[in-house]
Amino acid sequence: MRILICLILLGSFLCCNDYDTVANTYTFPPEWAPQEAVWTDFATDIVFVPNQEAKLKIISTLSNYIPTKVVYDNDSLREFALNALKSKLADISNIHFIKTSFPMNWIRDPGPLFLSNGTDLKLLDFKWNCYGNAYDCKGDLRGSVDNELAQEMNLETDSIGIYLEGGGIEVSSNSILAYKAMALQRNPDKSLVEVTHTLIKALGKSQMIWLDEYPLIDKPYHKISNYFGFGANGHIDVTTRFLNDSTILATVISAVDRSKSTLSEEDGRILESNVDQLKNAKRPNGLPYQIVTVEAPDYSLYEYPGTMPDRLYANLPEDQKNFLPGDSIIFIPSLEYANYLITNGAILVSKYWQDGMPESERLKDEKIQTILKEYFPSRDIVPLDVTALNWGGGGIHCRTQQEPKINTFSN
């Protein structure tokens, strides 16, 4: 009988059915709610493609809209950033540097995730295993940063006992979006029912929407064929975002672009399946969601042929070491229109088109900007070229985390 009950419960969670929220006065506000500050990072960051300029663009832009809290671990880096920001029309008075005892980068994932009850804040503490890459996690202390900051801010920490990252969840006022494959890969000892129950209770929501597969563009290291690159291993904010409580933005790949490689073909299939699942999802009131789509950049324009470097090979899991140092491979960044940040007065979004690229790519940039302006007409749409971050497996959203304004937010 117990097994039968578990199977029935699991079936109810596979897509989007409501769940009776356990009493919890705290909630994770949707990103469009008023914010007190945005957190970002300028810490020691071991990367294959230099990304300091991209991080400075984000900090400078944010400072003109909202108090910007910059986590750093190295005094010389802070001085470099401060001097550079003065030349970029940043509002220096709106930038606040916070030193941590060890490097903190991609702050949305292991960093502070703020819950609000309208008058107070506390921090949600996911367990940290380096995006599920246990073989690449030795010495990575980033999962302790949220607890360190909680002590400095005198905030309560809510440790919920599951492995996850901030970029792995997307919320509206009442609902949560995430990839099922990601959640189970991070927590192989837990059922989907357990993860669902924990997230709904901790985030103060009433509904969970699980999508089955995440695209290979977000898979770390080996993706398919001889394609390699970095990624967050199943983060929903790469592809799918709430535009409001009844509308979801979903990424697709055009038929023309899908024909250009095995990678774009497979991701096109996965993203099409995601859209089909979203069309079948129901809001907490039983009505369907409106689905708005945006085409991903053309993967083929960002392919970088090369050979397997010793450093990358050393980090590969054992089941990927059939590619040896010197073998021909293709590097590709994690291209992410959906990885935008909504903040007070502005939305920071990636742009990709450059002189010499096909006109179709310029139209894709314009499409995402038009969508965001339609749904957030009172906010400035600020396009930024931060492709250097994509080469590291993330984007604008990954490098930021919003802090809710208390006394103003209501669910």
Side-chain angles (χ1 to χ4, degrees):
M1 177 62 71
R2 183 178 178 184
I3 294 174
L4 177 60
I5 292 172
C6 289
L7 288 173
I8 292 171
L9 284 172
L10 177 59
S12 72
F13 287 134
L14 287 182
C15 177
C16 56
N17 288 0
D18 292 348
Y19 186 88
D20 292 332
T21 307
V22 178
N24 185 348
T25 57
Y26 281 87
T27 186
F28 184 45
E31 206 164 296
W32 53 79
Q35 298 171 11
E36 179 65 29
V38 170
W39 291 65
T40 185
D41 57 84
F42 202 84
T44 304
D45 193 3
I46 300 174
V47 293
F48 284 85
V49 175
N51 63 21
Q52 287 186 336
E53 184 64 24
K55 291 188 287 186
L56 290 169
K57 286 181 185 178
I58 293 172
I59 297 169
S60 176
T61 302
L62 285 171
S63 71
N64 288 289
Y65 290 94
I66 189 169
T68 305
K69 299 182 178 181
V70 183
V71 172
Y72 74 101
D73 67 308
N74 182 300
D75 290 335
S76 62
L77 273 178
R78 178 188 181 279
E79 285 303 306
F80 172 83
L82 192 56
N83 290 330
L85 288 166
K86 288 176 181 177
S87 67
K88 293 182 179 295
L89 303 179
D91 183 349
I92 301 300
S93 67
N94 226 14
I95 300 174
H96 312 279
F97 287 90
I98 297 101
K99 190 172 186 179
T100 56
S101 57
F102 42 82
M104 170 71 252
N105 46 65
W106 305 109
I107 194 167
R108 179 164 299 270
D109 299 331
L113 195 158
F114 295 93
L115 303 175
S116 170
N117 65 0
T119 57
D120 298 290
L121 298 177
K122 68 177 179 178
L123 295 187
L124 180 63
D125 181 26
F126 289 130
K127 295 172 72 175
W128 174 247
N129 62 0
C130 302
Y131 307 102
N133 297 327
Y135 51 83
D136 193 31
C137 207
K138 294 178 181 178
D140 190 333
L141 301 175
R142 284 182 291 168
S144 302
V145 167
D146 51 0
N147 292 295
E148 179 179 317
L149 293 173
Q151 291 180 358
E152 291 186 13
M153 300 173 70
N154 196 29
L155 293 179
E156 177 187 350
T157 300
D158 188 0
S159 299
I160 62 173
I162 62 172
Y163 289 97
L164 212 61
E165 305 90 39
I169 54 171
E170 166 70 0
V171 304
S172 66
S173 300
N174 303 299
S175 305
I176 311 168
L177 266 168
Y179 277 113
K180 183 199 311 181
M182 177 274 305
L184 294 178
Q185 189 265 356
R186 302 294 197 277
N187 300 279
D189 61 330
K190 298 188 183 301
S191 69
L192 196 62
V193 170
E194 291 176 287
V195 175
T196 300
H197 181 279
T198 300
L199 287 177
I200 283 180
K201 179 182 177 182
L203 297 173
K205 306 300 177 183
S206 61
Q207 181 195 55
M208 188 84 217
I209 303 173
W210 290 112
L211 298 182
D212 290 337
E213 293 181 88
Y214 58 87
L216 300 178
I217 198 70
D218 191 44
K219 182 182 176 184
Y221 305 125
H222 183 227
K223 300 180 185 294
I224 194 172
S225 303
N226 63 334
Y227 283 89
F228 280 79
F230 296 97
N233 211 4
H235 279 193
I236 198 73
D237 65 357
V238 173
T239 64
T240 316
R241 302 289 300 277
F242 284 108
L243 292 169
N244 57 34
D245 289 340
S246 60
T247 311
I248 299 173
L249 176 78
T251 304
V252 296
I253 296 179
S254 71
V256 171
D257 289 349
R258 286 175 67 164
S259 68
K260 295 179 180 178
S261 71
T262 54
L263 177 60
S264 56
E265 176 61 28
E266 181 63 8
D267 272 1
R269 179 196 65 78
I270 292 170
L271 294 172
E272 183 179 16
S273 175
N274 287 175
V275 171
D276 289 341
Q277 287 184 278
L278 291 170
K279 288 179 178 177
N280 289 323
K282 295 294 189 293
R283 292 148 54 189
N285 62 9
L287 296 175
Y289 284 94
Q290 178 184 0
I291 310 302
V292 177
T293 60
V294 62
E295 289 183 9
D298 180 356
Y299 289 7
S300 69
L301 298 174
Y302 300 87
E303 295 179 358
Y304 184 83
T307 57
M308 172 69 73
D310 292 339
R311 180 179 162 196
L312 177 58
Y313 178 78
N315 285 325
L316 292 178
E318 289 302 318
D319 61 359
Q320 291 189 21
K321 288 193 172 180
N322 51 324
F323 286 87
L324 301 175
D327 285 353
S328 295
I329 60 176
I330 299 173
F331 293 97
I332 190 165
S334 183
L335 303 162
E336 307 175 340
Y337 274 128
N339 203 255
Y340 54 80
L341 172 75
I342 306 170
T343 190
N344 298 353
I347 301 179
L348 281 59
V349 61
S350 290
K351 66 175 182 179
Y352 291 100
W353 183 83
Q354 298 179 21
D355 288 341
M357 284 187 173
E359 179 70 4
S360 57
E361 297 305 292
R362 184 182 65 80
L363 295 176
K364 291 175 185 176
D365 278 3
E366 291 182 355
K367 175 70 177 296
I368 185 62
Q369 294 168 34
T370 299
I371 291 171
L372 293 174
K373 192 63 179 177
E374 177 183 351
Y375 284 89
F376 302 96
S378 64
R379 287 172 163 91
D380 295 337
I381 309 303
V382 185
L384 299 175
D385 179 1
V386 293
T387 311
L389 298 181
N390 298 160
W391 283 104
I396 294 169
H397 200 242
C398 306
R399 286 285 178 182
T400 54
Q401 179 62 268
Q402 66 276 5
E403 177 184 333
K405 183 178 286 293
I406 54 177
N407 300 319
T408 62
F409 171 74
S410 62
N411 198 22

